[in-house]
Amino acid sequence: QVYLVESDGGSVQAGGSLRLSCAVSGFTYRTHWVGWFRQVPEKEREGVATIYLSSNTTYYADSVKGRFTISQDNAKNTVYLQMESLKPEDTAMYYCAATGTTYPLNSGPLSAARYIYWGQGTQVTVSS
């Protein structure tokens, strides 16, 4: 069984930073994408960043490029999302998600359709 457990989010002022972590368990191999998504009420879930565990290949949404960094600590089985220069529009519920070892190839790396395992979500609030 795969489990994804996110750290607590938090509240920061615009321009501040936060780091989210996602503890991953239950993978036999490292042939998975682990990504971060965010969602605000009445909007679709948006892919923010993702990393392929075996190669460290990463993808970012244009809205966060240069401000967010996704990384992993293999020894701790943890994926991090370091968020810098936060803006009020970054306010959302953030979810950690993972693919299976196979996934729809016609779905992009930041498409929610690719991911089958989801964490419970953690709230990030950025005030102006």
Side-chain angles (χ1 to χ4, degrees):
Q1 185 73 14
V2 174
Y3 293 98
L4 306 173
V5 180
E6 299 113 337
S7 61
D8 290 338
S11 297
V12 296
Q13 290 193 326
S17 61
L18 275 177
R19 188 177 79 162
L20 303 180
S21 62
C22 175
V24 180
S25 61
F27 287 163
T28 302
Y29 303 103
R30 299 185 61 75
T31 51
H32 299 265
W33 291 90
V34 176
W36 288 95
F37 290 75
R38 64 187 182 186
Q39 190 169 25
V40 296
E42 301 182 349
K43 287 194 174 181
E44 287 191 5
R45 196 164 290 190
E46 174 193 20
V48 173
T50 191
I51 185 167
Y52 194 62
L53 297 182
S54 63
S55 67
N56 266 336
T57 300
T58 59
Y59 288 93
Y60 294 92
D62 288 344
S63 58
V64 306
K65 276 181 185 174
R67 299 190 299 122
F68 290 13
T69 303
I70 190 169
S71 62
Q72 62 173 317
D73 184 328
N74 293 350
K76 295 182 179 180
N77 291 322
T78 300
V79 173
Y80 300 99
L81 184 68
Q82 180 68 42
M83 304 183 290
E84 307 282 351
S85 302
L86 283 161
K87 305 175 182 179
E89 51 264 43
D90 294 317
T91 295
M93 185 70 78
Y94 283 71
Y95 297 89
C96 179
T99 67
T101 53
T102 62
Y103 43 84
L105 293 179
N106 61 351
S107 61
L110 291 175
S111 168
R114 181 175 284 206
Y115 296 78
I116 59 172
Y117 304 109
W118 292 86
Q120 293 298 307
T122 187
Q123 179 68 36
V124 171
T125 302
V126 184
S127 57
S128 58

